[in-house]
Amino acid sequence: MGLTPDRLARAGAELADEIGFDQVSASALARRFDVQVASLYAHVRGAHDLRSRIAQVALDEMADRAAEAVAGRAGRDALVALATAYRDYAREHPGRYAASQYRVDPGSPAVDAGRRHSELTRAVLRGYHLDEPAQTDAIRLLGSVFNGYIGLELGGSFAHSSPASDESWPRILDALDLLLRSWTTS
């Protein structure tokens, strides 16, 4: 079969997009490879290890996409590129996006993958000239707004009202840009 931890994580990520991250299990993954569940445990230590590896795949993919999107941009352009990269990834890969929110153990390679997102956001914020602790506060704000909006949108929360979500998104990003440009550090 050629099973490896990486191959299982990637297949788990694909499965998450198909059936939802919460539905991914060792037995579902074993069925995909037509092997016994016990065969998987030679490569992963259990369900938590498998989910952490799927989270790492998602976080790495999102960081790669976001880094490419913000390259050469600054200020509002970088902010919009970052936010749009996350939103597009979530729309294309809802299960992987859910996996990116999975709580992993300290020391897990997924922690380093998650740290890349913080560093990307910090790079975007350099265009706004924020000092600490305002920069950390802004990273948390942006993460909250992006994840909250995207999660609500994926869940269908904005599907039954006007204006359309696609019309609200740029207004929200404009408001964030204005807030970041006028943020005072004291």
Side-chain angles (χ1 to χ4, degrees):
M1 281 264 84
L3 295 180
T4 65
D6 184 59
R7 186 165 182 221
L8 291 173
R10 294 198 176 284
E14 291 172 11
L15 190 59
D17 285 338
E18 294 168 17
I19 66 172
F21 180 65
D22 291 341
Q23 301 303 311
V24 173
S25 65
S27 60
L29 197 54
R31 283 191 298 276
R32 175 161 281 208
F33 286 103
D34 197 28
V35 299
Q36 296 294 317
V37 173
S39 300
L40 300 184
Y41 292 123
H43 308 285
V44 295
R45 292 184 308 272
H48 179 66
D49 184 36
L50 175 62
R51 288 176 176 272
S52 294
R53 289 173 186 275
I54 295 168
Q56 182 179 355
V57 167
L59 289 165
D60 282 337
E61 288 176 349
M62 286 174 47
D64 290 344
R65 185 179 287 196
E68 184 177 318
V70 302
R73 299 176 189 265
R76 183 188 181 286
D77 289 342
L79 175 69
V80 170
L82 179 69
T84 302
Y86 287 151
R87 185 173 181 231
D88 289 349
Y89 184 86
R91 287 173 156 183
E92 293 168 27
H93 302 289
R96 294 176 203 214
Y97 185 77
S100 75
Q101 308 300 310
Y102 186 68
R103 187 177 187 145
V104 298
D105 295 330
S108 165
V111 171
D112 291 334
R115 193 171 289 119
R116 287 180 62 202
H117 294 273
S118 177
E119 291 166 0
L120 280 165
T121 306
R122 197 171 294 280
V124 167
L125 291 172
R126 277 196 279 280
Y128 292 98
H129 309 291
L130 299 178
D131 296 328
E132 284 298 343
Q135 196 173 84
T136 296
D137 293 341
I139 289 169
R140 292 173 178 166
L141 172 70
L142 293 178
S144 298
V145 172
F146 297 165
N147 289 320
Y149 192 91
I150 291 167
L152 289 168
E153 184 177 49
L154 288 176
S157 295
F158 305 139
H160 308 291
S161 62
S162 292
S165 182
D166 284 340
E167 293 177 41
S168 295
W169 183 247
R171 291 182 188 128
I172 289 167
L173 297 179
D174 286 343
L176 286 172
D177 174 63
L178 179 62
L179 172 69
L180 292 169
R181 284 189 286 120
S182 62
W183 198 307
T184 59
T185 56
S186 48

